[in-house]
């Protein structure tokens, strides 16, 4: 079969706030080939991504993404990687293209799985889908007391792992940060898996980060996430060398697999956090999962939106029992929750796994999300390049 | 003063061909503050860049670029870096933003130089603008004979340095490549500076590249450019370790300074080729120039378009006499040539230098390029976010 259509839909909550919640809008991708339809989601700014799909060609290495996808042969899983490589070559100088192809690639896997009646993880060569322990993400409270209450609440909800981050952490004194971390540990209990997200607060300042290591080590924190700007490999490496049991985590911003591999090779991270909707899709995320595993680094998904995105993000490490922890969106906006009729709920042991149904295993509820659809029109030189297509399947 | 307006103009040749010529279109940027106007150029796909300027906010780390620029304080050169940092933080998850801010940042330097009546290189702290030796870029011929004729032609035009690349190079046999390189050397003469551009032909295959090293060393080639995919740091390092006098060159795709610094630190390049219109602008390119100089790596501009872009690309290393070679666009399309009334011509010794006039020192000819202007209209949810502004100053 051949790729017959690639459609993108910009959906958003009625009000989008200036807060760190990435589930307030969505770029949904629909791909059709043969008699099949696949769905994916870009973890990306919708309008520039749509523009990168349909923009006029600038030169031979700056084609619109659509040029390398529409009409492409799609007879087996291997064709999906070939399409991504074509986009990377033909859109080399179009920076946004790596975010854009991510959602398309995910939709191609969904379609291929439906066509072959197999879950995506099987198409990736995995024998089974190992359940993962989900962690709950929270902001640090404004005070240690508030953090204590938040951690107790997370524990009472049944989560065995929790991440605290942002808020005042890293912004005042070393002692204040130690109190926050200790409060989180106390609230979560001695057995809980505690993760801390510094949200790049220290820029490239290794010494500022190193001052916090004793408190993090004392509290038995499993990972310290994004102490530095993404890409500050030298700072990551220097801090990693000063850790005892604590490991560094990072990689959510990686928009191709090499960037994630550099964080492993040169940054010394212990956990590679990959967003399948940004890195180039499921294939590139799987490449990183295997690269990490060969180097005793754990792969973890980065997911903050819908359960369609969650399913896509679980596939790349579904088959690895060693990679046991996963990010699980707990406070997504109604748009993200309403996108799918089914959801990846926790099993009786509190774990979550990539589904067994063909493709990504998710059933979309288009009627539910249609009210969130934003009409987009783009014209260049009098020619309409994009006009929001019909969302009806 | 404050930034009062940021306008972008999409210009293109009537016919854009599927060839490796980046001068076929242009994203021109106009910034106004106080009574001053500055101009810059993004080396980027125009439509996605415009979309990234005006798109709706997705969340707190995915703002449109304009949010961090419009109304920003602009009292001195230090404010320019502050604006770029704000864009990087507020548009962290908007990949295209780094290309977009590059042209805006260049326009801000042009404006600041005009306001302070100083050339940009002086604002950067350089005492003088050192002339650079320009190199001419050509494709390898289909046969060694054709390459020989091309090299003789370049030499007769007075160029002391020439780069050959792409074409059949790296695509057939090691012996065929050796014949091509030897033909280029013969045509250029024993004194000419010979550069070879492999155009990422070997992907990440170090052995394939290493087989070509003897011929390149024998012909006294100064640099081998982009043997591998940009970002394949391990492959760059492995090949660099097997070079004798030859040095590796790369970095044109770097969209922030860290990526270029990684090629220096982990890739072992000897020449850092930076496009000011992509890396974040003049400030970030200057950061890389100084980083390179401290590590005995040479800085070289990457420029393929107008003389406005050429002036912007010469500023970051204008003050460094050690960085002696520069890329000089010799076959740009009329759009790129017509943009400026004045041009950076070669002096009597065949060299080119960043101009002495205030700002970037270029006078635009808006009447000449107006015929190339493409009207762009973008509406989202019934609201017009962008409609091509008036190009009249």
């Amino acid at each position: 079969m051949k790729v017959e259509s690639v459609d993108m839909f910009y959906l958003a909550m009625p009000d989008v706030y200036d807060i760190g919640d990435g589930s307030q809008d969505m770029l949904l991708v629909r791909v059709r080939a043969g008699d099949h339809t696949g769905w994916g989601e870009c973890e990306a700014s919708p309008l520039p991504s749509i523009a990168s799909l349909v923009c006029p060609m600038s030169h031979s290495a700056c084609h619109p993404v659509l040029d390398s996808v529409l009409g492409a042969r799609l007879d087996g899983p291997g064709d999906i990687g070939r399409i991504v490589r074509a986009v990377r070559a033909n859109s080399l100088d179009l920076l946004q293209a790596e975010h854009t192809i991510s959602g398309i690639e995910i939709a191609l896997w969904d379609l291929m799985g439906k066509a072959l009646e197999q879950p995506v993880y099987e198409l990736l060569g995995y024998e089974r889908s190992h359940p993962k322990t989900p962690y709950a993400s929270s902001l640090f409270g404004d005070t240690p007391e508030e953090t204590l209450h938040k951690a107790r609440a997370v524990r009472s909800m049944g989560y065995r792992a929790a991440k605290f981050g942002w808020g005042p952490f890293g912004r005042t004194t070393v002692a204040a940060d130690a109190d926050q971390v200790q409060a989180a540990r106390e609230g979560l209990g001695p057995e809980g898996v505690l993760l801390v997200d510094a949200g790049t607060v220290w820029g490239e300042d290794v010494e500022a980060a190193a001052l916090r290591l004793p408190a993090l080590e004392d509290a038995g924190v499993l990972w310290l996430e994004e102490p530095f700007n993404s890409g500050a490999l030298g700072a990551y490496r220097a801090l990693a060398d000063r850790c005892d049991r604590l490991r560094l985590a990072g990689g959510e911003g990686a928009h191709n697999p090499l960037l994630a591999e550099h964080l492993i090779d040169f940054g010394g991270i212990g956990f590679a956090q990959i967003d399948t909707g940004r890195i180039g899709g499921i294939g590139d995320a799987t490449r990183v999962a295997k690269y990490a595993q060969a180097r005793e680094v754990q792969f973890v998904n980065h997911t903050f939106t819908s359960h369609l995105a969650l399913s896509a993000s679980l596939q790349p490490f579904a088959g690895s029992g060693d990679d046991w922890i996963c990010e699980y969106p707990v406070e997504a906006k109604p748009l993200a929750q309403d996108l799918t009729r089914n959801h990846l709920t926790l099993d009786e042991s509190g774990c979550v796994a990539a589904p067994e149904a063909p493709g990504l295993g998710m059933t979309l509820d288009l009627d539910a999300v249609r009210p969130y659809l934003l009409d987009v029109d783009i014209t260049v030189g009098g020619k309409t390049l994009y006009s929001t297509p019909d969302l009806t399947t």
Side-chain angles (χ1 to χ4, degrees), chain A:
Chain A
M1 53 190 175
K2 288 188 173 182
V3 177
E4 290 155 23
S5 66
V6 180
D7 294 313
M8 292 197 159
F9 303 93
Y10 184 171
L11 303 133
M13 296 295 295
D15 294 300
V16 174
Y17 298 100
D18 195 359
I19 56 174
D21 178 355
S23 73
Q24 301 182 86
D25 68 8
M26 176 186 293
L27 183 56
L28 185 65
V29 183
R30 180 182 66 200
V31 174
R32 286 179 168 148
D35 296 326
H36 306 285
T37 300
W39 295 92
E41 200 182 326
C42 299
E43 180 51 37
S45 176
L47 187 66
S49 304
I50 290 170
S52 75
L53 183 75
V54 299
C55 60
M57 174 178 68
S58 290
H59 55 80
S60 58
C62 200
H63 278 261
V65 171
L66 197 58
D67 279 4
S68 308
V69 184
L70 199 62
R73 205 181 63 243
L74 192 64
D75 295 326
D79 290 325
I80 299 174
R82 192 180 42 72
I83 290 170
V84 172
R85 287 192 295 277
V87 169
R88 286 228 160 87
N90 299 330
S91 304
L92 179 70
D93 286 347
L94 205 180
L95 194 50
Q96 190 69 20
E98 298 196 315
H99 279 189
T100 309
I101 189 58
S102 299
I104 297 172
E105 195 265 12
I106 290 167
L108 289 169
W109 280 108
D110 186 41
L111 187 150
M112 183 60 63
K114 289 170 178 169
L116 300 177
E117 297 184 338
Q118 283 185 275
V120 169
Y121 75 82
E122 278 189 18
L123 299 181
L124 294 172
Y126 292 133
E127 287 182 14
R128 55 173 292 222
S129 169
H130 288 267
K132 313 290 181 188
T133 300
Y135 70 79
S137 280
S138 299
L139 298 179
F140 275 114
D142 288 336
T143 63
E145 292 69 36
E146 204 182 317
T147 296
L148 175 68
H149 290 300
K150 283 186 169 212
R152 282 181 178 151
V154 163
R155 185 185 187 184
S156 69
M157 287 162 68
Y159 285 97
R160 295 196 303 274
K163 188 167 86 181
F164 289 85
W166 300 79
F169 189 75
R171 297 183 185 278
T172 62
T173 66
V174 174
D177 287 350
D179 290 344
Q180 283 280 6
V181 171
Q182 205 49 54
R185 168 53 73 202
E186 186 182 336
L188 203 60
E191 304 299 322
V193 175
L194 178 58
L195 317 168
V196 170
D197 182 356
T200 77
V201 69
W202 298 301
E204 300 181 40
D205 186 346
V206 175
E207 294 309 319
L211 289 171
R212 274 76 179 185
L213 291 182
L216 295 164
E217 298 274 8
D218 285 350
V221 171
L222 179 66
W223 82 51
L224 173 63
E225 178 173 336
E226 293 211 314
F228 309 117
N229 289 331
S230 180
L233 299 181
Y236 270 93
R237 176 82 261 172
L239 189 66
D241 288 343
R242 293 163 75 164
C243 291
D244 180 15
R245 287 184 306 156
L246 182 72
R247 308 292 293 272
L248 302 186
E252 68 181 74
H255 52 86
N256 62 57
L258 285 165
L259 293 174
E261 291 165 17
H262 298 160
L263 266 169
I264 292 171
D265 290 341
F266 305 113
I269 58 170
F271 291 86
Q273 304 173 289
I274 302 305
D275 200 310
T276 303
R278 279 183 193 154
I279 199 168
I282 291 171
D284 281 335
T286 304
R287 165 179 162 161
V288 174
K290 293 184 174 174
Y291 192 91
Q293 198 164 32
R295 287 154 185 82
E296 298 187 352
V297 167
Q298 287 206 29
F299 182 97
V300 190
N301 64 308
H302 175 263
T303 311
F304 217 80
T305 54
S306 74
H307 280 220
L308 177 68
L310 180 61
S311 174
S313 76
L314 289 174
Q315 308 292 337
F317 68 128
S320 166
D322 291 339
D323 300 323
W324 57 275
I325 195 168
C326 77
E327 184 165 33
Y328 186 79
V330 288
E331 290 177 332
K333 287 278 181 293
L335 163 61
Q337 293 179 25
D338 295 351
L339 178 68
T340 54
R341 290 185 194 276
N342 58 331
H343 293 85
L344 303 184
T345 50
L346 308 192
D347 64 19
E348 63 274 13
S349 63
C351 288
V352 63
E356 299 296 336
L360 294 176
M362 307 309 295
T363 304
L364 267 60
D365 188 347
L366 299 178
D367 290 333
V369 297
R370 189 172 287 106
Y372 302 108
L373 185 62
L374 289 175
D375 282 323
V376 176
D377 286 278
I378 301 175
T379 67
V380 175
K383 188 180 166 194
T384 297
L385 298 183
Y386 177 88
S387 182
T388 297
D390 189 351
L391 185 54
T392 311
T393 44

